[in-house]
Amino acid sequence: LTLINKDVLKSFWDKYYHPNNFVLSVCGDIDKDKLFKMVEKHFGEIPEGAKNENKKFEYNDELNIKILKRENAIQGRLMIAYKSPERNSKDYYTSLLLSSILGKGMSSRLFQTAREEKQLVYDISSFIWNGPNRGLFYTQCGIDEKNINEVIGVITHEQNKIMNENVPDTEINIHKKRIRSASLFELEDSVLLA
């Protein structure tokens, strides 16, 4: 963590977060044709980026959109996932830092923008999931279907800000401290240690 700065964050983002590493998952009473138009609007102009080969795990490189229709669903759920480094990768802590800046807790960029300022989501967060030989960077939120277009716009806007603007050192340091604290608490958890 001590070696990660804004240049490392930018380089990391450019390497991993582009359409060739992209998965979008939406559930709820969603109109498929409208969804595809929204996806094209928000993601269509993003450069594809280089394919990141993962020899240990085969990803499906096609754009994946999964729609689950549930009768009488009170709220929808939107999940956007990108391939991410596995836990033993040198880039793992950079992915944790990006996840924290974007969507960990009430002070995160996505929570402040999508929930507090614009009141578009019930909840929103980012996290890293690691399975054997693979990782995924998720952003998820609870939404009302009528807000999906604007929510995707807010998420992509915040992601683009990280891609195109420097993250202030003060913000990086706050999130590094948060990650260190969480890691120390994990050392006290007997379930995680087992």
Side-chain angles (χ1 to χ4, degrees), residues 13 102 109-110 113 153-163:
W13 184 270
L102 277 172
R109 290 179 175 205
L110 289 172
T113 305
V154 168
I155 292 169
T156 57
H157 176 74
E158 290 300 328
Q159 291 173 341
N160 286 333
K161 280 173 55 177
I162 284 188
M163 239 183 346

PDB file of all heavy atoms in Angstrom, residues 13 102 109-110 113 153-163:
ATOM      1  N   TRP A  13      -6.069   1.327 -13.426  1.00  0.00           N
ATOM      2  CA  TRP A  13      -7.408   1.496 -13.988  1.00  0.00           C
ATOM      3  C   TRP A  13      -7.387   1.252 -15.490  1.00  0.00           C
ATOM      4  O   TRP A  13      -8.218   0.536 -16.038  1.00  0.00           O
ATOM      5  CB  TRP A  13      -7.952   2.882 -13.670  1.00  0.00           C
ATOM      6  CG  TRP A  13      -9.356   3.043 -14.159  1.00  0.00           C
ATOM      7  CD1 TRP A  13      -9.766   3.503 -15.375  1.00  0.00           C
ATOM      8  CD2 TRP A  13     -10.554   2.674 -13.473  1.00  0.00           C
ATOM      9  NE1 TRP A  13     -11.127   3.463 -15.480  1.00  0.00           N
ATOM     10  CE2 TRP A  13     -11.634   2.956 -14.318  1.00  0.00           C
ATOM     11  CE3 TRP A  13     -10.806   2.147 -12.213  1.00  0.00           C
ATOM     12  CZ2 TRP A  13     -12.948   2.729 -13.956  1.00  0.00           C
ATOM     13  CZ3 TRP A  13     -12.116   1.926 -11.855  1.00  0.00           C
ATOM     14  CH2 TRP A  13     -13.175   2.211 -12.713  1.00  0.00           C
ATOM     15  N   LEU A 102     -14.034   4.236  -4.599  1.00  0.00           N
ATOM     16  CA  LEU A 102     -15.302   4.286  -5.328  1.00  0.00           C
ATOM     17  C   LEU A 102     -16.509   3.938  -4.468  1.00  0.00           C
ATOM     18  O   LEU A 102     -17.530   4.621  -4.543  1.00  0.00           O
ATOM     19  CB  LEU A 102     -15.269   3.340  -6.532  1.00  0.00           C
ATOM     20  CG  LEU A 102     -14.629   3.888  -7.778  1.00  0.00           C
ATOM     21  CD1 LEU A 102     -14.478   2.795  -8.825  1.00  0.00           C
ATOM     22  CD2 LEU A 102     -15.427   5.047  -8.352  1.00  0.00           C
ATOM     23  N   ARG A 109     -17.074   7.831  -3.021  1.00  0.00           N
ATOM     24  CA  ARG A 109     -17.549   8.684  -4.121  1.00  0.00           C
ATOM     25  C   ARG A 109     -18.938   8.274  -4.617  1.00  0.00           C
ATOM     26  O   ARG A 109     -19.804   9.116  -4.836  1.00  0.00           O
ATOM     27  CB  ARG A 109     -16.557   8.630  -5.276  1.00  0.00           C
ATOM     28  CG  ARG A 109     -15.244   9.322  -4.974  1.00  0.00           C
ATOM     29  CD  ARG A 109     -14.303   9.220  -6.135  1.00  0.00           C
ATOM     30  NE  ARG A 109     -13.091   9.992  -5.887  1.00  0.00           N
ATOM     31  CZ  ARG A 109     -12.327  10.479  -6.847  1.00  0.00           C
ATOM     32  NH1 ARG A 109     -12.638  10.260  -8.118  1.00  0.00           N
ATOM     33  NH2 ARG A 109     -11.245  11.164  -6.544  1.00  0.00           N
ATOM     34  N   LEU A 110     -19.141   6.967  -4.828  1.00  0.00           N
ATOM     35  CA  LEU A 110     -20.434   6.530  -5.354  1.00  0.00           C
ATOM     36  C   LEU A 110     -21.561   6.729  -4.348  1.00  0.00           C
ATOM     37  O   LEU A 110     -22.662   7.129  -4.721  1.00  0.00           O
ATOM     38  CB  LEU A 110     -20.367   5.066  -5.793  1.00  0.00           C
ATOM     39  CG  LEU A 110     -19.551   4.814  -7.053  1.00  0.00           C
ATOM     40  CD1 LEU A 110     -19.381   3.319  -7.301  1.00  0.00           C
ATOM     41  CD2 LEU A 110     -20.177   5.497  -8.260  1.00  0.00           C
ATOM     42  N   THR A 113     -22.373  10.497  -4.262  1.00  0.00           N
ATOM     43  CA  THR A 113     -23.008  11.007  -5.482  1.00  0.00           C
ATOM     44  C   THR A 113     -24.368  10.360  -5.750  1.00  0.00           C
ATOM     45  O   THR A 113     -25.380  11.054  -5.880  1.00  0.00           O
ATOM     46  CB  THR A 113     -22.086  10.780  -6.698  1.00  0.00           C
ATOM     47  OG1 THR A 113     -20.822  11.382  -6.424  1.00  0.00           O
ATOM     48  CG2 THR A 113     -22.661  11.418  -7.943  1.00  0.00           C
ATOM     49  N   GLY A 153     -25.066   6.079 -15.564  1.00  0.00           N
ATOM     50  CA  GLY A 153     -24.335   7.298 -15.902  1.00  0.00           C
ATOM     51  C   GLY A 153     -23.487   7.808 -14.752  1.00  0.00           C
ATOM     52  O   GLY A 153     -22.337   8.218 -14.948  1.00  0.00           O
ATOM     53  N   VAL A 154     -24.025   7.786 -13.532  1.00  0.00           N
ATOM     54  CA  VAL A 154     -23.275   8.231 -12.357  1.00  0.00           C
ATOM     55  C   VAL A 154     -22.074   7.314 -12.115  1.00  0.00           C
ATOM     56  O   VAL A 154     -20.961   7.772 -11.858  1.00  0.00           O
ATOM     57  CB  VAL A 154     -24.181   8.277 -11.101  1.00  0.00           C
ATOM     58  CG1 VAL A 154     -23.365   8.440  -9.823  1.00  0.00           C
ATOM     59  CG2 VAL A 154     -25.191   9.414 -11.218  1.00  0.00           C
ATOM     60  N   ILE A 155     -22.291   6.003 -12.200  1.00  0.00           N
ATOM     61  CA  ILE A 155     -21.197   5.047 -11.974  1.00  0.00           C
ATOM     62  C   ILE A 155     -20.089   5.254 -13.001  1.00  0.00           C
ATOM     63  O   ILE A 155     -18.915   5.364 -12.647  1.00  0.00           O
ATOM     64  CB  ILE A 155     -21.725   3.600 -12.011  1.00  0.00           C
ATOM     65  CG1 ILE A 155     -22.623   3.341 -10.798  1.00  0.00           C
ATOM     66  CG2 ILE A 155     -20.562   2.599 -12.037  1.00  0.00           C
ATOM     67  CD1 ILE A 155     -23.411   2.034 -10.858  1.00  0.00           C
ATOM     68  N   THR A 156     -20.456   5.329 -14.286  1.00  0.00           N
ATOM     69  CA  THR A 156     -19.430   5.498 -15.314  1.00  0.00           C
ATOM     70  C   THR A 156     -18.751   6.863 -15.192  1.00  0.00           C
ATOM     71  O   THR A 156     -17.553   6.979 -15.434  1.00  0.00           O
ATOM     72  CB  THR A 156     -19.994   5.300 -16.735  1.00  0.00           C
ATOM     73  OG1 THR A 156     -21.081   6.198 -16.957  1.00  0.00           O
ATOM     74  CG2 THR A 156     -20.438   3.871 -16.944  1.00  0.00           C
ATOM     75  N   HIS A 157     -19.498   7.897 -14.777  1.00  0.00           N
ATOM     76  CA  HIS A 157     -18.895   9.214 -14.576  1.00  0.00           C
ATOM     77  C   HIS A 157     -17.830   9.158 -13.476  1.00  0.00           C
ATOM     78  O   HIS A 157     -16.721   9.682 -13.651  1.00  0.00           O
ATOM     79  CB  HIS A 157     -19.975  10.239 -14.226  1.00  0.00           C
ATOM     80  CG  HIS A 157     -19.427  11.596 -13.909  1.00  0.00           C
ATOM     81  ND1 HIS A 157     -18.945  12.439 -14.886  1.00  0.00           N
ATOM     82  CD2 HIS A 157     -19.256  12.234 -12.721  1.00  0.00           C
ATOM     83  CE1 HIS A 157     -18.508  13.552 -14.317  1.00  0.00           C
ATOM     84  NE2 HIS A 157     -18.682  13.449 -13.009  1.00  0.00           N
ATOM     85  N   GLU A 158     -18.146   8.521 -12.361  1.00  0.00           N
ATOM     86  CA  GLU A 158     -17.173   8.417 -11.266  1.00  0.00           C
ATOM     87  C   GLU A 158     -15.973   7.565 -11.670  1.00  0.00           C
ATOM     88  O   GLU A 158     -14.841   7.867 -11.314  1.00  0.00           O
ATOM     89  CB  GLU A 158     -17.830   7.869 -10.000  1.00  0.00           C
ATOM     90  CG  GLU A 158     -18.795   8.827  -9.345  1.00  0.00           C
ATOM     91  CD  GLU A 158     -18.162  10.152  -8.901  1.00  0.00           C
ATOM     92  OE1 GLU A 158     -16.968  10.165  -8.524  1.00  0.00           O
ATOM     93  OE2 GLU A 158     -18.862  11.179  -8.949  1.00  0.00           O
ATOM     94  N   GLN A 159     -16.226   6.493 -12.425  1.00  0.00           N
ATOM     95  CA  GLN A 159     -15.108   5.675 -12.909  1.00  0.00           C
ATOM     96  C   GLN A 159     -14.229   6.482 -13.866  1.00  0.00           C
ATOM     97  O   GLN A 159     -12.998   6.415 -13.790  1.00  0.00           O
ATOM     98  CB  GLN A 159     -15.634   4.414 -13.593  1.00  0.00           C
ATOM     99  CG  GLN A 159     -16.272   3.446 -12.627  1.00  0.00           C
ATOM    100  CD  GLN A 159     -16.947   2.273 -13.317  1.00  0.00           C
ATOM    101  OE1 GLN A 159     -17.258   2.315 -14.510  1.00  0.00           O
ATOM    102  NE2 GLN A 159     -17.188   1.224 -12.558  1.00  0.00           N
ATOM    103  N   ASN A 160     -14.848   7.250 -14.745  1.00  0.00           N
ATOM    104  CA  ASN A 160     -14.087   8.078 -15.683  1.00  0.00           C
ATOM    105  C   ASN A 160     -13.276   9.152 -14.964  1.00  0.00           C
ATOM    106  O   ASN A 160     -12.171   9.498 -15.391  1.00  0.00           O
ATOM    107  CB  ASN A 160     -15.005   8.716 -16.722  1.00  0.00           C
ATOM    108  CG  ASN A 160     -15.491   7.716 -17.741  1.00  0.00           C
ATOM    109  OD1 ASN A 160     -14.828   6.728 -18.011  1.00  0.00           O
ATOM    110  ND2 ASN A 160     -16.663   7.962 -18.290  1.00  0.00           N
ATOM    111  N   LYS A 161     -13.823   9.700 -13.874  1.00  0.00           N
ATOM    112  CA  LYS A 161     -13.065  10.687 -13.098  1.00  0.00           C
ATOM    113  C   LYS A 161     -11.786  10.068 -12.557  1.00  0.00           C
ATOM    114  O   LYS A 161     -10.728  10.706 -12.576  1.00  0.00           O
ATOM    115  CB  LYS A 161     -13.916  11.241 -11.950  1.00  0.00           C
ATOM    116  CG  LYS A 161     -14.883  12.321 -12.405  1.00  0.00           C
ATOM    117  CD  LYS A 161     -15.837  12.769 -11.328  1.00  0.00           C
ATOM    118  CE  LYS A 161     -15.204  13.234 -10.061  1.00  0.00           C
ATOM    119  NZ  LYS A 161     -16.202  13.724  -9.079  1.00  0.00           N
ATOM    120  N   ILE A 162     -11.870   8.831 -12.087  1.00  0.00           N
ATOM    121  CA  ILE A 162     -10.659   8.162 -11.589  1.00  0.00           C
ATOM    122  C   ILE A 162      -9.692   7.907 -12.735  1.00  0.00           C
ATOM    123  O   ILE A 162      -8.489   8.040 -12.585  1.00  0.00           O
ATOM    124  CB  ILE A 162     -11.008   6.861 -10.840  1.00  0.00           C
ATOM    125  CG1 ILE A 162     -11.556   7.226  -9.465  1.00  0.00           C
ATOM    126  CG2 ILE A 162      -9.812   5.935 -10.734  1.00  0.00           C
ATOM    127  CD1 ILE A 162     -11.786   6.108  -8.522  1.00  0.00           C
ATOM    128  N   MET A 163     -10.231   7.560 -13.904  1.00  0.00           N
ATOM    129  CA  MET A 163      -9.391   7.296 -15.066  1.00  0.00           C
ATOM    130  C   MET A 163      -8.703   8.560 -15.567  1.00  0.00           C
ATOM    131  O   MET A 163      -7.553   8.519 -15.979  1.00  0.00           O
ATOM    132  CB  MET A 163     -10.262   6.746 -16.210  1.00  0.00           C
ATOM    133  CG  MET A 163      -9.849   5.414 -16.687  1.00  0.00           C
ATOM    134  SD  MET A 163     -10.794   4.772 -18.098  1.00  0.00           S
ATOM    135  CE  MET A 163     -12.225   5.742 -18.292  1.00  0.00           C
TER     136      MET A 163
END
